[in-house]
């Protein structure tokens, strides 16, 4: 039986990837922090085995895995502080980069053949921007810098220890059961509460991907991605952010202003990205299945049904 190891297995994207891999016939070693961590969403899935290992103890993962996992794929999704104010915690983000390299060393020690990492589109957005003089950055950009550091160090380390690296620049994602303060959750929450969110003119380009498509893309990278390559993971057709905002606004119809243009935009956007949006498709055949319009319909329907059940 094929084997996959996943850190952050009970996280938002992680638990979807766990279920997908199990459905594809994989034995999944799902790495979660500790016994106190909530992992009911994956514990009952067939062929899933829970491994307890906190991210700051990832350098000891080899000692916690007793079965043979040689030639397996290691998916590293664990990353502390990926939303809210924690994105600006530079010490936390630096630690995350170190833990990613520690995880790769453990993957090689276990005999894994490939190391797939969930990066972020923010890396691409800030990569060239940060090289300029007198840039205007919010502290939350530390998250992107941490991802950049992890990618650069992993390129060095994975080449040195002989394990294949596949890096994913994942676009903004959303979907049910997302506990984070992501933009879609923020926007829906404000409009549902009939509050006006503070938004930029929203002319910057953006791309959003439904969570099941993100899990599928990572699976495709583990199966078919080329060794030592990085891939953009998204729909590949960025649109002005205001188009996404207006779609949600019109569906909820909060009876208040949309909030567009009430805040100044600082930073970089996808207009500045120099990347190959079609590389993932060419190398793996991956195509997203859920459009943004469909994904928002699903999300709002699920939230509405949940509210009805609770009332």
């Amino acid at each position: 039986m094929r084997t996959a190891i996943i850190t952050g297995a009970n996280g938002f994207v992680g638990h979807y990837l766990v279920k997908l891999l199990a459905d594809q016939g994989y034995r999944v070693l799902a790495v979660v922090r500790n016994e106190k961590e909530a992992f009911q969403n994956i514990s009952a899935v067939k062929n899933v085995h829970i491994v307890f290992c906190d991210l700051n103890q990832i350098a000891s993962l080899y000692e916690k895995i007793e079965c043979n996992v040689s030639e397996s794929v290691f998916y590293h999704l664990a990353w502390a502080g990926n939303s809210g104010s924690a994105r600006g915690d530079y010490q936390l983000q630096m630690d995350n980069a170190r833990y990613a390299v520690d995880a790769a060393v453990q993957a090689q020690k276990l005999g894994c053949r490939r190391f797939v990492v969930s990066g972020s589109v923010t890396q691409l957005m800030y990569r060239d921007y940060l090289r300029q003089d007198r840039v205007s950055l919010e502290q939350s950009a530390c998250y992107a810098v941490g991802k950049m550091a992890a990618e650069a160090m992993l390129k060095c380390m994975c080449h040195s220890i002989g394990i294949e690296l596949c890096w994913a620049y994942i676009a903004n994602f959303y979907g049910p059961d997302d506990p984070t303060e992501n933009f879609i959750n923020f926007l829906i929450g404000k409009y549902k509460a009939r509050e006006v969110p503070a938004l930029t003119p929203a002319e910057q380009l953006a791309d959003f991907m439904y969570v099941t498509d993100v899990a599928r893309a990572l699976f495709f990278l583990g199966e078919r991605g080329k060794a030592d390559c990085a891939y953009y993971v998204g729909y590949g057709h960025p649109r002005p952010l205001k188009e996404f905002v207006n779609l949600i606004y019109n569906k909820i119809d909060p009876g208040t202003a949309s909030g567009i243009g009430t805040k100044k935009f600082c930073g970089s956007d996808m207009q500045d990205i120099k990347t190959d949006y079609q590389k993932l498709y060419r190398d793996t055949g991956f195509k997203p299945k859920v459009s943004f319009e469909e994904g928002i319909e699903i999300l709002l329907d699920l939230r509405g049904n949940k509210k009805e059940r609770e009332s």
Side-chain angles (χ1 to χ4, degrees), residues 97-257:
R98 177 164 55 89
Y99 298 149
V101 180
D102 288 343
V105 172
Q106 295 298 294
Q108 187 274 338
K109 194 174 181 180
L110 287 162
C112 301
R113 65 176 178 83
R114 171 160 292 191
F115 192 68
V116 179
V117 191
S118 59
S120 170
V121 69
T122 58
Q123 294 176 249
L124 301 177
M125 292 166 61
Y126 287 110
R127 182 178 56 191
D128 294 331
Y129 187 68
L130 281 167
R131 297 172 183 160
Q132 302 174 28
D133 292 333
R134 299 181 180 180
V135 295
S136 299
L137 286 173
E138 295 179 346
Q139 191 169 339
S140 59
C142 288
Y143 167 77
V145 175
K147 290 285 189 180
M148 291 181 213
E151 182 186 10
M153 287 190 286
L154 280 169
K155 284 183 177 180
C156 300
M157 184 58 70
C158 289
H159 174 75
S160 176
I161 63 179
I163 188 171
E164 298 174 356
L165 173 65
C166 274
W167 187 277
Y169 302 117
I170 303 177
N172 299 297
F173 52 85
Y174 66 100
D177 307 319
D178 181 0
T180 67
E181 305 168 35
N182 75 27
F183 182 72
I184 299 299
N185 282 346
F186 162 77
L187 207 59
I188 291 176
K190 286 291 186 180
Y191 290 153
K192 289 275 190 180
R194 296 183 178 275
E195 297 176 0
V196 180
L199 303 176
T200 69
E203 295 173 350
Q204 67 268 35
L205 297 181
D207 194 6
F208 292 88
M209 179 172 254
Y210 195 68
V211 63
T212 54
D213 278 332
V214 176
R216 287 180 55 247
L218 291 171
F219 171 71
F220 272 57
L221 286 181
E223 290 272 299
R224 309 176 195 174
K226 291 185 178 179
D228 306 320
C229 288
Y231 294 88
Y232 175 82
V233 174
Y235 288 101
H237 302 287
R239 294 186 273 167
L241 180 61
K242 60 186 176 184
E243 293 187 16
F244 298 102
V245 173
N246 285 328
L247 187 145
I248 295 173
Y249 176 81
N250 292 329
K251 284 189 178 297
I252 297 177
D253 191 18
T256 62

Side-chain angles (χ1 to χ4, degrees), residues 302-311:
L302 287 173
R303 289 192 174 192
N305 290 337
K306 180 179 180 182
K307 187 174 181 180
E308 288 178 6
R309 289 195 299 270
E310 292 174 347
S311 61

